[in-house]
């Protein structure tokens, strides 16, 4: 009570400061306002020299599409759920987990109602949940097909983590099922929505630094020896190749826009290392593209994190290091600058990659438009993964029919990612 | 209807896939669970070689402290409001703006109810809003004192942007008012909650690379010539010095932990540049600390963004570049490594700086504990800004009494920022 | 004359300055002196924090070994001849060229007497030149064998550029010839004498960052379409593989110390590009080593200069970029540093690589000791180049017998390269 | 004898190889030749994408100018004498040292005849040495004036290390003496002949990135506590300022081309550190230029090597790190690149800085042309060093008369340094 009295006295005293009046003097134009339902503000900095991004103008919460996140492992907890908070068009409205206690804690953190909680057996009830527009499948790889089919059957659009499945047959079944159910299917190739990778694609297609000649890519990490599902062949469908090597494979494909015609490969499976009882450690594969580009790619599960990409063009090299991480990506362009060599590092603003990716899917759902990375994109990787394993196991080059055209497995590109 | 039929057929067909059963085979220990109300999961990667942060385990939304964001300019829209979404302990429950239309758009984006909207005249009603635990003042500098006093009078704790005020007198009034009202006052020195700057402070205090001898810091940018309030002396209280130069001043102080005893300075105020009719462009100042450290600092409003800090110790240099940006910070340590020179770049995980800072304040509120950067910390900068202007205007060194001890204006440090 | 008078007056006036006397005051210990025929000086900087190399104490010119440089193309003119000037033990005493006018200009620049000039036909007269201790063969690849045999026949030791030859048979003949003539044969693998590459070898052998798991290497450049001998199969013996790809091959071998047991490879030979009428452009090859390490290597002649090496170990990655250039090499070590990832760049002092390499050979000649990279080292690369071409042409993996032991083709390592 | 026999047999056998003939097939145009007394060769690489420097075409040894290096301390032994070997126009023909034994060892390494050896007392005999065209004074600072005067009196041109002298009076005497003797006087400001610093000067003068607004420079190192002459006030004329701080001072001047009009400064002189009994450790000074540019500069003798320069322009920052080292310099340009920030690192070919600098002086001697950094350039630094000490000791800003025009103390710039 004494406090309240003292505070009231303060309130009276402060009127003399009169700062509020000063604010009123400021011209309206500089204070910004609302246009088309969005906030609009003048730039603070000289646009000729300073980078200033757009205002983060999300949709009103009540207009956002609802996503059901299926699986509450590390990727969901560390990246995807936080990513929904950065999204312009998506909010999480349901969670699917085999652990109800965990689901309830997460629900309390993200404001998901009890009615939005499902387990793997009662998941199909989600067809009745009007707050769910699409599901995001973040399960062990061998469950992707099942839950894609169940989600499509429940009338939900499907965003599915990579690798799409554990076999070409499963992948084909997923594409067919979503088609039959008239639901969109997108594979969560986050790099294809990232501004760095989009910038590389644009540089290459515009021949800003001439023609691509070769690509080198490495994506590996040192996994814990804890029997996690990635080390169980039945669940993971393979070792480092489908999990992290797929980033190298995918990058070689979306950068060139082409599909490989010849593959050589080698694997390792170290004895006496409990992580590799069932799966490969390293997978080194080389792709030949119709234009003559060679891409050397390597993945691994037993070395320090290394995520590196270098695209060699006639006039430059374009490097990403790290190339495939969730954050902190950096581009380096090496080229001649007069009498010197220049290496130019470019940095875009950090933004959660999963937020970008989900926003693309939301825009596709709203427009009923094919996603940039539909099921067909994942299916092609699935075919190539099978070919890489064939090449590695046989020791012989695997030759594939030439596919004419560019980006034949992709939908329209995302809106400008910057 | 046909769709629904087709989908139901799919649902039946998929049972044969049986992936769900496979999941059930996985040992419980690897699936994580709930401990002390938080989700707990085993690490995916070998902890000896790979960095893996803690799970983002926020408080349940309903237990978070509520913040009223006062002022909806660029900083609030671009950084602070998105920062609340990354916070563990805080959510936005009220908005204060002179533009009701803008406030309503923002409220719809962040889920703030109409009852949580205030303008500058009816702000004092906030005392009745139980959903607001503290206010975050993000107004032109000349309004900081008024709103701090009004907020304290309304019984709210206060987090106030830097610079704290436009004069020592205002700053003293703010400290006194919050003390009288028994409310916590924290100045939003985000760098002091950032893991890079905390790491530098620790390196220096632990003498990991010997004793600090000298500091060099630059913080400048190229402001638009648009008459924004930062270019109006009455509102901003000065030019680049209180706005961006304060980061250099503050860094020299928190890195050494000392307070300067001698200051020399020079200013520029370019004629014919409309940005500098009332305020300085460059401010170059040099601080001498009791231990003998010299710190050279410079701020500016007319050059390309440059945010650089270098701490020279006997055995190394520790550089931040960029040092004071909202994201993308990087540390570089230059030192001898056997027969070679080494420059080591360190990268911490990106996390919204304002989220970290608000979380610290929330923890202090809950524990009724002095913040690490209380009003006293801002007050000392205010005194030094005044001394820098004195030195620059007179051309003479300004000498200040030596203050014994380290960190005399700071509360307990934040919990480990990693 | 007037000048002389004025100058004499100046000379007298200056005595008053007396600085010479001041110098005499300085303690002897700080002025250094002579020890064992070398200059010795105290360090200027604190050795705990600053890198200070040894004084460049070359042998007296008259005691240096004499080298005959055979071939005056770019490599000789740009690198090797300037390299002799930085050498401690070698000076150029003879030049061999088909262009006498060019040879005379170069001789005037390096102080080679007319008697030290030879052409390709009268080269064998060099046996009578006592000022020549060894020849350095810097000719088109198809001439390496001939001139090695002629030099050995002339009683000279032989330092031969890489690739050693154009075939295994030639290489074997060279090894046999030098053995028969009791002359040392060293292949000019400059990287194996470079401090960066020696540091990597040491890190790997000491397991400073754990065990090597994988290696990625690229070495390519954009050659002029001018019909230079490197584009003539008969002269070059191949395309990018023996010329620049050999650096990747060699690095994979000296870093692991092992010899590969399995090779897969792919080539490109772009039609309509005049550079590739006879030779390959890209060569991508993958090596499997007995320890399980996979190395992916790629060379090219049609893309912007790119010289990159990354060694992935359990605990780190060790990167060189550029890895194989004549100067400006840089090492980058990526590893965990507490809660952050660190990338440490190391820089050694620049020193001409050819000077280092020639100094090693001179020391071997003086000690009658096997060089670190003897003919056997080149012969093994020759065998592997043949195997790579086999693999590429057949599409099938080529398997090689496992060779026990490490560094089986190498002589004692060079003295500390720092 | 047996060896000789075996070798002869080899010589006969090798004829069959026939490689020599192959070489003869190569078109002449690709083998290069001689033009204007220099070697000329076609480029190896595609000039559109690859950097390829000029051939290192030195003058014939017998036409080079002869330099007498005066003083055989670290700088002469580590840098200047090796630098003569890289020079196009200069060779060392005389050595001056107080230690005859050391001088003889060095003479044997560089081919200096006994007749070219002098000590400090008999130095004046050098007037009779026709092989000496100029002297390079590399002595303790207090001896610069004396030896400049004695050298001029001996009819030799003078290249003198920085700082030119220990006082303005000495510097004026040196300029006057060389003028009177009609000898050229150049101060060895090596950075002004370095391609990086020349590139910055050009960028700034061409306003490639807009106008300069501010400069920040640090040059410091951790000197050994060994009583070396740099720590003796009488010999060094000051502490870190004239020795290493002069690089910052000089850079601010040659980058802007202007002369400062106002200076503030602070020094430190740590008690109980034997290095600083007589001299300052840190010197922090701020220069105001007529155009409004502020430059903050700092030097030190007690911290880890740190040599950093950043030029802030309206549109970019241009950074050198390291900025003032003997080798390994690197330029970094920070600027906007579309929606991203770019940091471009540029690397020029390494070339000994002292070789470049001596070549410039040799060209000036041959052309009887004022050097780019004549005595007047050093004299101006001497005046400013005195003003910096005044400002630091008084605590008051020192104001200097405005000097109109750019580069008023400099001769014609060196030929293109690339």
């Amino acid at each position: 009570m004494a406090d309240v009295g003292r505070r009231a006295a303060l309130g009276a005293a402060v009127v003399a400061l009169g700062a509020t009046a000063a604010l009123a003097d400021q011209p309206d134009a500089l204070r910004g306002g609302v246009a088309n339902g969005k906030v609009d503000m003048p730039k603070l900095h000289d646009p000729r020299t300073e980078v200033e991004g757009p205002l983060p103008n999300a949709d009103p919460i009540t207009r956002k599409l609802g996503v059901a996140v299926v699986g509450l492992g590390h990727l969901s907890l560390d990246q995807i759920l936080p990513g929904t908070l950065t999204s312009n068009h998506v909010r999480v409205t349901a969670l699917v987990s085999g652990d109800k206690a965990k689901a309830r804690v997460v629900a309390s953190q993200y404001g998901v109602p009890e009615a939005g909680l499902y387990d793997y057996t009662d998941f199909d009830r989600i067809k009745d949940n009007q707050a769910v527009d699409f599901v995001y499948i973040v399960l062990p790889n061998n469950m992707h097909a099942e839950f894609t089919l169940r989600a499509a059957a429940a009338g939900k659009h499907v965003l599915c983590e990579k690798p799409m499945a554990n076999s070409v047959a499963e992948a084909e079944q997923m594409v067919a099922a979503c088609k039959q159910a008239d639901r969109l299917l997108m594979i969560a190739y986050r790099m294809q929505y990232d501004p760095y990778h989009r910038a590389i694609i644009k540089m290459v297609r515009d021949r800003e630094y001439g023609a691509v000649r070769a690509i080198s890519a490495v994506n590996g990490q040192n996994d814990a020896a804890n029997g996690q599902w990635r080390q169980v062949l039945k669940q993971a469908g393979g070792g480092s190749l489908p999990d992290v090597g797929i980033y190298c494979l995918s990058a070689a494909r979306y950068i060139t826009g082409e599909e490989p015609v010849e593959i050589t490969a080698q694997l390792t499976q170290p004895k006496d290392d409990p992580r590799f009882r069932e799966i490969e450690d390293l997978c080194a594969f080389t792709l030949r593209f119709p234009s003559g580009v060679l891409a050397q790619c390597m993945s691994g599960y037993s070395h320090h994190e290394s995520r590196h990409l270098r695209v060699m063009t006639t006039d430059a090299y374009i490097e990403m290091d790290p190339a495939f991480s969730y954050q902190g990506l950096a581009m380096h362009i090496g080229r001649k600058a007069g009498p010197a060599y220049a290496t130019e590092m470019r940095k875009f603003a950090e933004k959660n990659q999963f937020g970008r990716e989900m926003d693309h899917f939301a825009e596709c759902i709203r427009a009923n438009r094919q996603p940039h990375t539909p099921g067909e994109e994942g299916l092609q990787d699935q075919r190539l993964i099978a070919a890489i394993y064939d090449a590695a196991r046989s020791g012989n080059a695997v030759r594939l029919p030439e596919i004419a055209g560019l980006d034949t497995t992709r939908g329209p590109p995302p809106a400008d990612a910057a």
Side-chain angles (χ1 to χ4, degrees), chain A residues 146-158:
Chain A
E146 173 182 334
F147 275 82
T148 294
L149 270 63
R150 289 168 70 178
K156 304 305 182 190
H157 302 288
V158 178

PDB file of all heavy atoms in Angstrom, chain A residues 146-158:
ATOM      1  N   GLU A 146       4.122 -44.747 -44.318  1.00  0.00           N
ATOM      2  CA  GLU A 146       2.885 -45.039 -43.595  1.00  0.00           C
ATOM      3  C   GLU A 146       2.145 -43.762 -43.211  1.00  0.00           C
ATOM      4  O   GLU A 146       0.946 -43.610 -43.457  1.00  0.00           O
ATOM      5  CB  GLU A 146       3.189 -45.857 -42.329  1.00  0.00           C
ATOM      6  CG  GLU A 146       1.946 -46.021 -41.459  1.00  0.00           C
ATOM      7  CD  GLU A 146       2.198 -46.787 -40.165  1.00  0.00           C
ATOM      8  OE1 GLU A 146       3.133 -47.603 -40.135  1.00  0.00           O
ATOM      9  OE2 GLU A 146       1.461 -46.551 -39.193  1.00  0.00           O
ATOM     10  N   PHE A 147       2.861 -42.821 -42.621  1.00  0.00           N
ATOM     11  CA  PHE A 147       2.167 -41.643 -42.125  1.00  0.00           C
ATOM     12  C   PHE A 147       1.761 -40.687 -43.238  1.00  0.00           C
ATOM     13  O   PHE A 147       0.790 -39.941 -43.100  1.00  0.00           O
ATOM     14  CB  PHE A 147       2.977 -40.973 -41.010  1.00  0.00           C
ATOM     15  CG  PHE A 147       2.692 -41.620 -39.695  1.00  0.00           C
ATOM     16  CD1 PHE A 147       3.330 -42.797 -39.326  1.00  0.00           C
ATOM     17  CD2 PHE A 147       1.705 -41.108 -38.856  1.00  0.00           C
ATOM     18  CE1 PHE A 147       3.036 -43.428 -38.140  1.00  0.00           C
ATOM     19  CE2 PHE A 147       1.401 -41.740 -37.659  1.00  0.00           C
ATOM     20  CZ  PHE A 147       2.060 -42.906 -37.294  1.00  0.00           C
ATOM     21  N   THR A 148       2.518 -40.717 -44.332  1.00  0.00           N
ATOM     22  CA  THR A 148       2.068 -39.935 -45.484  1.00  0.00           C
ATOM     23  C   THR A 148       0.727 -40.478 -45.985  1.00  0.00           C
ATOM     24  O   THR A 148      -0.222 -39.718 -46.245  1.00  0.00           O
ATOM     25  CB  THR A 148       3.122 -39.995 -46.602  1.00  0.00           C
ATOM     26  OG1 THR A 148       4.292 -39.342 -46.150  1.00  0.00           O
ATOM     27  CG2 THR A 148       2.623 -39.316 -47.875  1.00  0.00           C
ATOM     28  N   LEU A 149       0.642 -41.780 -46.077  1.00  0.00           N
ATOM     29  CA  LEU A 149      -0.603 -42.371 -46.557  1.00  0.00           C
ATOM     30  C   LEU A 149      -1.747 -42.130 -45.576  1.00  0.00           C
ATOM     31  O   LEU A 149      -2.868 -41.781 -45.982  1.00  0.00           O
ATOM     32  CB  LEU A 149      -0.404 -43.869 -46.811  1.00  0.00           C
ATOM     33  CG  LEU A 149       0.063 -44.220 -48.236  1.00  0.00           C
ATOM     34  CD1 LEU A 149       1.431 -43.625 -48.556  1.00  0.00           C
ATOM     35  CD2 LEU A 149       0.079 -45.726 -48.447  1.00  0.00           C
ATOM     36  N   ARG A 150      -1.449 -42.280 -44.298  1.00  0.00           N
ATOM     37  CA  ARG A 150      -2.508 -42.047 -43.306  1.00  0.00           C
ATOM     38  C   ARG A 150      -2.931 -40.575 -43.287  1.00  0.00           C
ATOM     39  O   ARG A 150      -4.111 -40.255 -43.129  1.00  0.00           O
ATOM     40  CB  ARG A 150      -2.036 -42.500 -41.928  1.00  0.00           C
ATOM     41  CG  ARG A 150      -1.937 -44.031 -41.832  1.00  0.00           C
ATOM     42  CD  ARG A 150      -1.210 -44.501 -40.591  1.00  0.00           C
ATOM     43  NE  ARG A 150      -1.988 -44.258 -39.377  1.00  0.00           N
ATOM     44  CZ  ARG A 150      -1.560 -44.621 -38.147  1.00  0.00           C
ATOM     45  NH1 ARG A 150      -0.379 -45.237 -38.005  1.00  0.00           N
ATOM     46  NH2 ARG A 150      -2.305 -44.377 -37.092  1.00  0.00           N
ATOM     47  N   ALA A 151      -1.963 -39.685 -43.425  1.00  0.00           N
ATOM     48  CA  ALA A 151      -2.313 -38.254 -43.426  1.00  0.00           C
ATOM     49  C   ALA A 151      -3.146 -37.897 -44.651  1.00  0.00           C
ATOM     50  O   ALA A 151      -4.135 -37.169 -44.557  1.00  0.00           O
ATOM     51  CB  ALA A 151      -1.037 -37.406 -43.392  1.00  0.00           C
ATOM     52  N   ALA A 152      -2.715 -38.403 -45.791  1.00  0.00           N
ATOM     53  CA  ALA A 152      -3.480 -38.133 -47.012  1.00  0.00           C
ATOM     54  C   ALA A 152      -4.887 -38.707 -46.872  1.00  0.00           C
ATOM     55  O   ALA A 152      -5.881 -38.073 -47.258  1.00  0.00           O
ATOM     56  CB  ALA A 152      -2.765 -38.725 -48.226  1.00  0.00           C
ATOM     57  N   ALA A 153      -4.946 -39.886 -46.295  1.00  0.00           N
ATOM     58  CA  ALA A 153      -6.257 -40.503 -46.076  1.00  0.00           C
ATOM     59  C   ALA A 153      -7.112 -39.660 -45.148  1.00  0.00           C
ATOM     60  O   ALA A 153      -8.337 -39.640 -45.244  1.00  0.00           O
ATOM     61  CB  ALA A 153      -6.064 -41.911 -45.507  1.00  0.00           C
ATOM     62  N   ALA A 154      -6.439 -38.951 -44.242  1.00  0.00           N
ATOM     63  CA  ALA A 154      -7.172 -38.078 -43.315  1.00  0.00           C
ATOM     64  C   ALA A 154      -7.459 -36.712 -43.932  1.00  0.00           C
ATOM     65  O   ALA A 154      -7.967 -35.817 -43.251  1.00  0.00           O
ATOM     66  CB  ALA A 154      -6.363 -37.914 -42.024  1.00  0.00           C
ATOM     67  N   GLY A 155      -7.108 -36.555 -45.198  1.00  0.00           N
ATOM     68  CA  GLY A 155      -7.444 -35.310 -45.890  1.00  0.00           C
ATOM     69  C   GLY A 155      -6.475 -34.175 -45.636  1.00  0.00           C
ATOM     70  O   GLY A 155      -6.787 -33.023 -45.904  1.00  0.00           O
ATOM     71  N   LYS A 156      -5.305 -34.493 -45.111  1.00  0.00           N
ATOM     72  CA  LYS A 156      -4.334 -33.451 -44.808  1.00  0.00           C
ATOM     73  C   LYS A 156      -3.234 -33.417 -45.882  1.00  0.00           C
ATOM     74  O   LYS A 156      -2.804 -34.465 -46.375  1.00  0.00           O
ATOM     75  CB  LYS A 156      -3.688 -33.723 -43.441  1.00  0.00           C
ATOM     76  CG  LYS A 156      -4.689 -33.857 -42.290  1.00  0.00           C
ATOM     77  CD  LYS A 156      -5.598 -32.635 -42.178  1.00  0.00           C
ATOM     78  CE  LYS A 156      -6.552 -32.763 -40.985  1.00  0.00           C
ATOM     79  NZ  LYS A 156      -7.592 -31.695 -41.001  1.00  0.00           N
ATOM     80  N   HIS A 157      -2.789 -32.220 -46.195  1.00  0.00           N
ATOM     81  CA  HIS A 157      -1.595 -32.082 -47.018  1.00  0.00           C
ATOM     82  C   HIS A 157      -0.394 -32.579 -46.219  1.00  0.00           C
ATOM     83  O   HIS A 157      -0.414 -32.574 -44.989  1.00  0.00           O
ATOM     84  CB  HIS A 157      -1.388 -30.628 -47.441  1.00  0.00           C
ATOM     85  CG  HIS A 157      -2.555 -30.073 -48.196  1.00  0.00           C
ATOM     86  ND1 HIS A 157      -2.841 -30.446 -49.483  1.00  0.00           N
ATOM     87  CD2 HIS A 157      -3.513 -29.174 -47.830  1.00  0.00           C
ATOM     88  CE1 HIS A 157      -3.924 -29.800 -49.903  1.00  0.00           C
ATOM     89  NE2 HIS A 157      -4.366 -29.022 -48.909  1.00  0.00           N
ATOM     90  N   VAL A 158       0.673 -32.962 -46.939  1.00  0.00           N
ATOM     91  CA  VAL A 158       1.798 -33.610 -46.267  1.00  0.00           C
ATOM     92  C   VAL A 158       3.124 -32.931 -46.616  1.00  0.00           C
ATOM     93  O   VAL A 158       3.482 -32.805 -47.792  1.00  0.00           O
ATOM     94  CB  VAL A 158       1.890 -35.105 -46.664  1.00  0.00           C
ATOM     95  CG1 VAL A 158       3.100 -35.759 -45.986  1.00  0.00           C
ATOM     96  CG2 VAL A 158       0.611 -35.836 -46.298  1.00  0.00           C
TER      97      VAL A 158
END
